[in-house]
Amino acid sequence: AQSVTQPDIHITVSEGASLELRCNYSYGATPYLFWYVQSPGQGLQLLLKYFSGDTLVQGIKGFEAEFKRSQSSFNLRKPSVHWSDAAEYFCAVGADFNKFYFGSGTKLNVKP
Amino acid sequence: NAGVTQTPKFQVLKTGQSMTLQCAQDMNHNSMYWYRQDPGMGLRLIYYSASEGTTDKGEVPNGYNVSRLNKREFSLRLESAAPSQTSVYFCASRKREGTGELFFGEGSRLTVL
Protein backbone atom coordinates (compact mmCIF):
# COMPACT_ATOMS: atom_id res chain seq x y z
CA ALA A 1 0.00 0.00 0.00
CA GLN A 2 1.10 3.52 -0.67
CA SER A 3 2.22 5.58 2.28
CA VAL A 4 4.11 8.73 3.15
CA THR A 5 6.14 9.12 6.32
CA GLN A 6 7.31 12.35 7.83
CA PRO A 7 9.28 11.20 10.87
CA ASP A 8 9.59 14.62 12.51
CA ILE A 9 6.39 15.96 14.04
CA HIS A 10 7.95 19.20 15.29
CA ILE A 11 11.21 20.91 14.36
CA THR A 12 12.65 24.10 15.81
CA VAL A 13 15.43 25.98 14.06
CA SER A 14 16.98 29.38 14.60
CA GLU A 15 16.38 32.09 12.07
CA GLY A 16 19.17 32.02 9.50
CA ALA A 17 19.96 28.37 10.10
CA SER A 18 19.57 25.69 7.45
CA LEU A 19 16.57 23.39 7.36
CA GLU A 20 15.92 19.86 6.20
CA LEU A 21 12.52 18.20 6.51
CA ARG A 22 12.41 14.49 5.88
CA CYS A 23 9.93 12.56 3.78
CA ASN A 24 9.91 8.87 2.90
CA TYR A 25 7.37 7.21 0.69
CA SER A 26 6.27 3.75 -0.21
CA TYR A 27 5.04 3.29 -3.74
CA GLY A 28 5.63 0.63 -6.35
CA ALA A 29 6.08 2.80 -9.42
CA THR A 30 7.80 6.12 -10.05
CA PRO A 31 5.88 8.54 -7.91
CA TYR A 32 4.86 12.10 -8.40
CA LEU A 33 6.08 13.95 -5.32
CA PHE A 34 4.97 17.21 -3.79
CA TRP A 35 5.69 19.45 -0.85
CA TYR A 36 2.97 21.74 0.48
CA VAL A 37 3.05 24.39 3.18
CA GLN A 38 0.16 25.36 5.44
CA SER A 39 0.09 28.54 7.49
CA PRO A 40 -2.28 28.61 10.47
CA GLY A 41 -5.91 28.83 9.41
CA GLN A 42 -5.02 28.59 5.75
CA GLY A 43 -5.24 26.05 2.99
CA LEU A 44 -2.25 24.23 1.56
CA GLN A 45 0.06 25.95 -0.88
CA LEU A 46 2.33 24.09 -3.27
CA LEU A 47 6.04 24.62 -2.64
CA LEU A 48 7.44 22.34 -5.32
CA LYS A 49 6.87 19.12 -7.22
CA TYR A 50 8.81 16.33 -8.87
CA PHE A 51 7.64 14.28 -11.83
CA SER A 52 10.77 13.24 -13.69
CA GLY A 53 14.17 14.45 -14.83
CA ASP A 54 16.53 16.36 -12.58
CA THR A 55 16.24 14.93 -9.09
CA LEU A 56 16.91 18.29 -7.45
CA VAL A 57 13.91 20.55 -7.84
CA GLN A 58 13.56 24.19 -6.96
CA GLY A 59 10.43 25.68 -5.51
CA ILE A 60 9.03 28.92 -4.25
CA LYS A 61 10.31 30.86 -1.23
CA GLY A 62 13.84 29.52 -1.66
CA PHE A 63 12.97 25.88 -0.98
CA GLU A 64 14.42 22.90 -2.81
CA ALA A 65 13.94 19.15 -2.58
CA GLU A 66 15.93 16.16 -3.72
CA PHE A 67 14.41 12.91 -4.95
CA LYS A 68 16.48 9.86 -4.00
CA ARG A 69 15.00 6.74 -5.51
CA SER A 70 17.38 4.38 -3.69
CA GLN A 71 16.25 5.79 -0.35
CA SER A 72 12.60 6.39 -1.30
CA SER A 73 13.03 9.90 0.00
CA PHE A 74 12.09 13.40 -1.03
CA ASN A 75 13.58 15.71 1.59
CA LEU A 76 12.87 19.44 1.65
CA ARG A 77 15.69 21.88 2.28
CA LYS A 78 16.28 25.58 2.71
CA PRO A 79 19.72 27.11 3.27
CA SER A 80 18.60 29.96 5.52
CA VAL A 81 15.26 29.96 7.33
CA HIS A 82 13.22 33.11 7.82
CA TRP A 83 10.72 33.70 10.63
CA SER A 84 7.95 33.72 8.03
CA ASP A 85 8.72 30.08 7.21
CA ALA A 86 7.12 28.96 10.46
CA ALA A 87 4.25 26.75 9.31
CA GLU A 88 3.30 23.12 8.84
CA TYR A 89 4.79 21.25 5.91
CA PHE A 90 3.27 18.27 4.17
CA CYS A 91 4.86 15.80 1.81
CA ALA A 92 2.54 14.08 -0.67
CA VAL A 93 2.70 11.33 -3.24
CA GLY A 94 0.51 11.36 -6.32
CA ALA A 95 -0.34 7.80 -7.21
CA ASP A 96 -2.71 5.83 -9.39
CA PHE A 97 -5.09 7.90 -11.42
CA ASN A 98 -6.46 10.32 -8.93
CA LYS A 99 -5.09 9.55 -5.51
CA PHE A 100 -2.86 11.69 -3.37
CA TYR A 101 -1.35 10.38 -0.16
CA PHE A 102 -0.22 12.87 2.43
CA GLY A 103 2.22 12.56 5.28
CA SER A 104 1.13 13.56 8.76
CA GLY A 105 3.00 16.84 8.55
CA THR A 106 5.98 18.55 10.22
CA LYS A 107 5.43 21.72 12.22
CA LEU A 108 8.30 24.15 11.88
CA ASN A 109 9.03 26.66 14.62
CA VAL A 110 11.58 29.40 13.97
CA LYS A 111 13.46 30.93 16.88
CA PRO A 112 14.49 34.56 16.57
CA ASN B 1 -8.32 35.09 -8.75
CA ALA B 2 -10.73 33.21 -6.50
CA GLY B 3 -9.34 29.71 -7.15
CA VAL B 4 -11.15 27.25 -4.85
CA THR B 5 -13.85 28.71 -2.62
CA GLN B 6 -15.41 26.85 0.30
CA THR B 7 -18.42 27.78 2.38
CA PRO B 8 -19.03 27.99 5.24
CA LYS B 9 -15.67 28.60 6.90
CA PHE B 10 -16.96 27.67 10.35
CA GLN B 11 -19.91 25.60 11.49
CA VAL B 12 -21.08 24.12 14.77
CA LEU B 13 -23.56 21.26 14.66
CA LYS B 14 -25.29 19.08 17.18
CA THR B 15 -25.05 15.32 16.88
CA GLY B 16 -27.58 14.08 14.35
CA GLN B 17 -27.94 17.32 12.44
CA SER B 18 -27.19 17.49 8.75
CA MET B 19 -25.31 20.01 6.69
CA THR B 20 -23.67 20.54 3.33
CA LEU B 21 -20.25 22.00 2.65
CA GLN B 22 -20.06 23.82 -0.63
CA CYS B 23 -17.05 24.06 -2.91
CA ALA B 24 -16.58 25.87 -6.19
CA GLN B 25 -13.55 26.33 -8.42
CA ASP B 26 -13.13 28.80 -11.24
CA MET B 27 -10.04 27.26 -12.88
CA ASN B 28 -11.93 24.93 -15.25
CA HIS B 29 -10.41 21.90 -13.53
CA ASN B 30 -11.75 18.45 -14.22
CA SER B 31 -11.05 16.77 -10.89
CA MET B 32 -12.25 17.81 -7.47
CA TYR B 33 -11.61 16.36 -4.02
CA TRP B 34 -12.76 16.51 -0.43
CA TYR B 35 -10.23 15.90 2.35
CA ARG B 36 -10.44 16.04 6.10
CA GLN B 37 -7.54 17.13 8.26
CA ASP B 38 -7.10 15.92 11.82
CA PRO B 39 -4.13 16.61 14.11
CA GLY B 40 -1.27 14.21 13.52
CA MET B 41 -3.04 12.43 10.66
CA GLY B 42 -2.32 14.62 7.68
CA LEU B 43 -5.03 14.84 5.06
CA ARG B 44 -7.30 11.93 4.34
CA LEU B 45 -9.34 11.66 1.18
CA ILE B 46 -13.09 11.41 1.68
CA TYR B 47 -14.41 11.46 -1.89
CA TYR B 48 -13.22 12.65 -5.23
CA SER B 49 -14.71 13.38 -8.63
CA ALA B 50 -12.62 12.81 -11.73
CA SER B 51 -15.10 14.63 -13.94
CA GLU B 52 -18.58 16.05 -13.97
CA GLY B 53 -21.08 13.32 -13.23
CA THR B 54 -18.66 10.90 -11.57
CA THR B 55 -17.70 10.41 -7.93
CA ASP B 56 -15.60 7.83 -6.12
CA LYS B 57 -14.85 6.93 -2.53
CA GLY B 58 -11.56 7.75 -0.92
CA GLU B 59 -10.03 6.47 2.31
CA VAL B 60 -12.71 7.63 4.76
CA PRO B 61 -16.10 7.93 2.99
CA ASN B 62 -18.37 6.59 5.74
CA GLY B 63 -20.90 9.13 6.97
CA TYR B 64 -20.51 11.41 3.94
CA ASN B 65 -22.14 11.90 0.57
CA VAL B 66 -21.05 14.07 -2.33
CA SER B 67 -22.54 15.66 -5.40
CA ARG B 68 -20.71 16.94 -8.42
CA LEU B 69 -23.30 19.46 -9.45
CA ASN B 70 -21.43 20.68 -12.51
CA LYS B 71 -17.82 21.17 -13.52
CA ARG B 72 -17.36 24.01 -11.04
CA GLU B 73 -19.10 22.72 -7.93
CA PHE B 74 -18.56 19.73 -5.64
CA SER B 75 -20.50 19.53 -2.39
CA LEU B 76 -20.00 17.34 0.68
CA ARG B 77 -22.98 16.38 2.81
CA LEU B 78 -23.12 15.03 6.33
CA GLU B 79 -26.54 13.40 6.73
CA SER B 80 -26.34 12.75 10.47
CA ALA B 81 -23.33 14.43 12.01
CA ALA B 82 -21.29 12.64 14.68
CA PRO B 83 -18.61 14.02 17.02
CA SER B 84 -16.03 11.94 15.12
CA GLN B 85 -16.68 14.19 12.13
CA THR B 86 -15.31 17.20 13.96
CA SER B 87 -12.49 18.22 11.67
CA VAL B 88 -11.22 20.73 9.16
CA TYR B 89 -12.45 19.98 5.68
CA PHE B 90 -10.60 20.97 2.56
CA CYS B 91 -11.81 21.03 -0.99
CA ALA B 92 -9.25 20.79 -3.76
CA SER B 93 -9.18 20.70 -7.53
CA ARG B 94 -6.76 19.44 -10.09
CA LYS B 95 -6.35 20.36 -13.72
CA ARG B 96 -4.67 17.32 -15.11
CA GLU B 97 -4.62 13.78 -13.82
CA GLY B 98 -1.30 12.12 -13.18
CA THR B 99 1.06 15.06 -12.98
CA GLY B 100 -1.08 17.99 -11.94
CA GLU B 101 -0.93 19.30 -8.44
CA LEU B 102 -3.86 19.95 -6.13
CA PHE B 103 -5.15 23.47 -5.53
CA PHE B 104 -6.78 23.88 -2.13
CA GLY B 105 -9.49 26.02 -0.65
CA GLU B 106 -8.99 27.68 2.72
CA GLY B 107 -10.86 25.04 4.65
CA SER B 108 -14.09 24.66 6.62
CA ARG B 109 -13.83 24.05 10.34
CA LEU B 110 -16.67 21.85 11.56
CA THR B 111 -17.43 21.10 15.20
CA VAL B 112 -20.00 18.48 16.12
CA LEU B 113 -21.17 18.62 19.71
Side-chain angles (χ1 to χ4, degrees), chain A residues 53-96:
Chain A
D54 192 347
T55 57
L56 183 63
V57 293
Q58 303 296 321
I60 62 171
K61 304 184 181 185
F63 285 91
E64 66 178 26
E66 186 171 13
F67 170 57
K68 292 187 177 179
R69 186 187 303 275
S70 61
Q71 299 177 18
S72 297
S73 69
F74 189 55
N75 293 348
L76 182 71
R77 301 195 293 249
K78 187 169 185 179
S80 177
V81 170
H82 189 262
W83 64 266
S84 61
D85 294 324
E88 189 160 18
Y89 292 80
F90 291 92
C91 181
V93 171
D96 302 330

Coordinates of all heavy atoms in Angstrom, one line a residue, chain A residues 53-96:
Chain A
G53 N 13.0 13.6 -14.5 CA 14.2 14.4 -14.8 C 15.1 14.7 -13.7 O 15.3 13.9 -12.8
D54 N 15.6 16.0 -13.6 CA 16.5 16.4 -12.6 C 16.0 16.1 -11.2 O 14.8 16.5 -10.9 CB 16.8 17.8 -12.7 CG 18.0 18.3 -11.9 OD1 18.5 17.5 -11.0 OD2 18.5 19.4 -12.1
T55 N 16.7 15.4 -10.4 CA 16.2 14.9 -9.1 C 16.3 16.0 -8.1 O 15.7 15.9 -7.0 CB 17.0 13.7 -8.6 OG1 18.4 14.1 -8.6 CG2 16.8 12.5 -9.5
L56 N 16.9 17.1 -8.4 CA 16.9 18.3 -7.4 C 16.0 19.3 -8.0 O 16.2 19.8 -9.1 CB 18.3 18.9 -7.3 CG 18.5 20.0 -6.3 CD1 18.2 19.6 -4.9 CD2 19.9 20.6 -6.4
V57 N 14.9 19.6 -7.3 CA 13.9 20.5 -7.8 C 13.8 21.8 -7.0 O 14.0 21.7 -5.8 CB 12.5 19.9 -7.9 CG1 12.5 18.8 -8.9 CG2 12.1 19.4 -6.6
Q58 N 13.6 22.9 -7.6 CA 13.6 24.2 -7.0 C 12.1 24.6 -6.8 O 11.3 24.3 -7.7 CB 14.3 25.3 -7.8 CG 15.8 24.9 -8.0 CD 16.6 24.8 -6.7 OE1 16.4 25.6 -5.8 NE2 17.5 23.9 -6.7
G59 N 11.8 25.2 -5.7 CA 10.4 25.7 -5.5 C 10.4 27.2 -5.2 O 11.3 27.9 -5.3
I60 N 9.2 27.5 -4.6 CA 9.0 28.9 -4.2 C 9.6 29.2 -2.9 O 10.0 28.2 -2.1 CB 7.5 29.3 -4.2 CG1 6.8 28.5 -3.2 CG2 6.9 29.1 -5.6 CD1 5.3 28.9 -3.0
K61 N 9.8 30.4 -2.5 CA 10.3 30.9 -1.2 C 11.7 30.3 -0.9 O 12.0 30.2 0.3 CB 9.3 30.5 -0.1 CG 7.9 31.0 -0.3 CD 7.0 30.6 0.8 CE 5.6 31.1 0.6 NZ 4.7 30.9 1.7
G62 N 12.5 30.0 -1.9 CA 13.8 29.5 -1.7 C 14.0 28.1 -1.3 O 15.1 27.6 -0.9
F63 N 12.9 27.3 -1.3 CA 13.0 25.9 -1.0 C 13.4 25.0 -2.2 O 13.2 25.4 -3.3 CB 11.6 25.4 -0.5 CG 11.2 25.8 0.9 CD1 10.5 27.0 1.0 CD2 11.6 25.1 2.0 CE1 10.2 27.5 2.3 CE2 11.2 25.5 3.2 CZ 10.6 26.7 3.4
E64 N 14.1 23.9 -1.8 CA 14.4 22.9 -2.8 C 14.2 21.5 -2.2 O 14.1 21.4 -1.0 CB 15.9 23.0 -3.3 CG 16.9 22.8 -2.2 CD 18.3 22.9 -2.7 OE1 18.6 23.6 -3.7 OE2 19.2 22.2 -2.1
A65 N 14.1 20.5 -3.1 CA 13.9 19.2 -2.6 C 14.7 18.2 -3.5 O 14.8 18.5 -4.7 CB 12.5 18.8 -2.5
E66 N 15.2 17.1 -2.9 CA 15.9 16.2 -3.7 C 15.3 14.8 -3.7 O 15.0 14.3 -2.6 CB 17.4 16.0 -3.2 CG 18.2 15.1 -4.1 CD 19.7 15.2 -3.7 OE1 20.0 15.7 -2.6 OE2 20.5 14.7 -4.5
F67 N 15.0 14.2 -4.8 CA 14.4 12.9 -5.0 C 15.5 11.9 -5.0 O 16.4 12.0 -5.8 CB 13.6 12.8 -6.2 CG 13.2 11.4 -6.6 CD1 12.4 10.7 -5.7 CD2 13.5 10.9 -7.8 CE1 12.0 9.4 -6.0 CE2 13.0 9.6 -8.2 CZ 12.3 8.8 -7.3
K68 N 15.5 10.9 -4.1 CA 16.5 9.9 -4.0 C 15.7 8.5 -4.1 O 15.2 8.1 -3.1 CB 17.3 9.9 -2.7 CG 18.2 11.1 -2.7 CD 19.1 11.1 -1.5 CE 20.1 12.3 -1.5 NZ 21.0 12.3 -0.3
R69 N 15.8 8.0 -5.3 CA 15.0 6.7 -5.5 C 15.5 5.6 -4.6 O 14.7 4.9 -4.1 CB 15.1 6.3 -7.0 CG 14.2 5.1 -7.3 CD 14.5 4.7 -8.8 NE 14.3 5.8 -9.7 CZ 13.2 6.1 -10.3 NH1 12.1 5.4 -9.9 NH2 13.1 7.0 -11.1
S70 N 16.8 5.5 -4.5 CA 17.4 4.4 -3.7 C 17.0 4.4 -2.2 O 16.9 3.4 -1.6 CB 18.9 4.4 -3.8 OG 19.4 5.6 -3.2
Q71 N 16.7 5.6 -1.7 CA 16.2 5.8 -0.3 C 14.7 6.0 -0.2 O 14.3 6.2 0.9 CB 17.0 6.9 0.3 CG 18.5 6.7 0.3 CD 19.3 7.9 0.9 OE1 18.7 8.8 1.6 NE2 20.6 8.0 0.6
S72 N 14.0 6.1 -1.3 CA 12.6 6.4 -1.3 C 12.3 7.7 -0.5 O 11.5 7.7 0.4 CB 11.8 5.2 -0.7 OG 11.9 4.1 -1.5
S73 N 13.1 8.7 -0.8 CA 13.0 9.9 0.0 C 12.9 11.1 -0.9 O 13.3 11.1 -2.1 CB 14.3 10.1 0.9 OG 15.4 10.4 0.1
F74 N 12.3 12.1 -0.3 CA 12.1 13.4 -1.0 C 12.2 14.5 0.0 O 11.2 15.1 0.5 CB 10.7 13.4 -1.7 CG 10.5 14.6 -2.7 CD1 11.4 14.9 -3.7 CD2 9.4 15.4 -2.5 CE1 11.2 15.9 -4.5 CE2 9.2 16.4 -3.4 CZ 10.1 16.7 -4.4
N75 N 13.4 14.8 0.5 CA 13.6 15.7 1.6 C 13.6 17.2 1.1 O 14.1 17.5 0.1 CB 14.9 15.4 2.3 CG 14.9 14.1 3.0 OD1 13.8 13.5 3.2 ND2 16.0 13.6 3.4
L76 N 13.0 18.0 1.9 CA 12.9 19.4 1.6 C 14.0 20.2 2.4 O 14.2 19.9 3.5 CB 11.5 19.9 2.1 CG 11.2 21.4 1.9 CD1 10.9 21.6 0.4 CD2 9.9 21.8 2.7
R77 N 14.6 21.1 1.7 CA 15.7 21.9 2.3 C 15.5 23.4 2.0 O 14.9 23.8 1.0 CB 17.0 21.4 1.7 CG 17.3 19.9 1.9 CD 18.8 19.6 1.7 NE 19.1 19.8 0.3 CZ 19.4 18.8 -0.5 NH1 19.4 17.6 -0.1 NH2 19.8 19.1 -1.8
K78 N 16.1 24.1 2.9 CA 16.3 25.6 2.7 C 17.6 26.0 3.4 O 17.8 25.7 4.5 CB 15.1 26.3 3.3 CG 15.1 27.8 2.9 CD 13.8 28.5 3.3 CE 13.9 30.0 2.8 NZ 12.6 30.7 3.0
P79 N 18.4 26.8 2.7 CA 19.7 27.1 3.3 C 19.6 28.1 4.5 O 20.5 28.0 5.4 CB 20.5 27.8 2.1 CG 19.6 27.6 0.9 CD 18.3 27.2 1.3
S80 N 18.7 29.0 4.5 CA 18.6 30.0 5.5 C 17.1 30.2 5.8 O 16.4 30.8 5.0 CB 19.3 31.2 5.1 OG 19.2 32.2 6.1
V81 N 16.7 29.9 7.0 CA 15.3 30.0 7.3 C 14.9 31.4 7.8 O 15.7 32.0 8.5 CB 14.9 28.9 8.4 CG1 13.5 29.1 9.0 CG2 15.0 27.5 7.9
H82 N 13.8 31.8 7.4 CA 13.2 33.1 7.8 C 12.1 32.9 8.8 O 11.4 31.8 8.7 CB 12.7 33.9 6.6 CG 12.4 35.3 6.8 ND1 11.0 35.7 7.0 CD2 13.1 36.4 6.9 CE1 11.0 37.0 7.2 NE2 12.2 37.4 7.1
W83 N 11.8 33.9 9.7 CA 10.7 33.7 10.6 C 9.4 33.4 9.9 O 8.5 32.7 10.5 CB 10.6 34.9 11.5 CG 10.2 36.2 10.8 CD1 11.0 37.2 10.3 CD2 8.8 36.6 10.4 NE1 10.3 38.1 9.7 CE2 8.9 37.8 9.8 CE3 7.6 36.1 10.7 CZ2 7.8 38.5 9.3 CZ3 6.5 36.7 10.2 CH2 6.6 37.9 9.5
S84 N 9.2 33.9 8.7 CA 7.9 33.7 8.0 C 7.8 32.3 7.5 O 6.7 31.9 7.0 CB 7.8 34.7 6.9 OG 8.9 34.5 5.9
D85 N 8.8 31.5 7.6 CA 8.7 30.1 7.2 C 8.0 29.2 8.2 O 7.8 28.0 8.0 CB 10.1 29.5 6.9 CG 10.8 30.2 5.7 OD1 10.0 30.5 4.7 OD2 12.0 30.3 5.7
A86 N 7.8 29.7 9.4 CA 7.1 29.0 10.5 C 5.7 28.6 10.0 O 4.9 29.4 9.6 CB 7.0 29.8 11.7
A87 N 5.5 27.3 9.9 CA 4.2 26.7 9.3 C 4.3 25.2 9.5 O 5.2 24.7 10.1 CB 4.1 27.1 7.8
E88 N 3.3 24.6 8.9 CA 3.3 23.1 8.8 C 3.5 22.7 7.4 O 3.0 23.3 6.5 CB 2.0 22.5 9.4 CG 2.0 21.0 9.5 CD 1.0 20.5 10.5 OE1 0.0 21.2 10.7 OE2 1.1 19.4 11.0
Y89 N 4.4 21.7 7.2 CA 4.8 21.2 5.9 C 4.3 19.8 5.7 O 4.5 18.9 6.5 CB 6.3 21.4 5.8 CG 6.8 22.8 5.8 CD1 6.9 23.5 7.0 CD2 7.1 23.5 4.6 CE1 7.3 24.8 7.0 CE2 7.5 24.8 4.6 CZ 7.6 25.5 5.8 OH 8.0 26.8 5.8
F90 N 3.8 19.6 4.5 CA 3.3 18.3 4.2 C 3.9 17.8 2.9 O 4.0 18.5 1.9 CB 1.8 18.3 3.9 CG 1.0 18.6 5.2 CD1 0.6 19.9 5.5 CD2 0.6 17.5 6.0 CE1 -0.1 20.1 6.7 CE2 -0.2 17.8 7.1 CZ -0.5 19.1 7.5
C91 N 4.4 16.5 3.0 CA 4.9 15.8 1.8 C 3.7 15.0 1.3 O 2.9 14.5 2.0 CB 6.0 14.9 2.2 SG 6.8 14.0 0.9
A92 N 3.6 14.8 -0.1 CA 2.5 14.1 -0.7 C 3.0 13.3 -1.9 O 4.0 13.7 -2.6 CB 1.4 15.0 -1.1
V93 N 2.4 12.2 -2.1 CA 2.7 11.3 -3.2 C 1.5 11.3 -4.1 O 0.4 11.0 -3.6 CB 3.1 9.9 -2.8 CG1 3.2 9.0 -4.0 CG2 4.4 9.9 -2.1
G94 N 1.6 11.5 -5.4 CA 0.5 11.4 -6.3 C 0.6 10.0 -6.9 O 1.6 9.6 -7.5
A95 N -0.4 9.2 -6.8 CA -0.3 7.8 -7.2 C -1.6 7.4 -7.9 O -2.6 8.1 -7.8 CB -0.2 6.9 -6.0
D96 N -1.6 6.3 -8.7 CA -2.7 5.8 -9.4 C -3.3 6.9 -10.3 O -2.5 7.8 -10.8 CB -3.8 5.3 -8.4 CG -3.3 4.2 -7.5 OD1 -2.4 3.5 -8.0 OD2 -3.7 4.1 -6.4

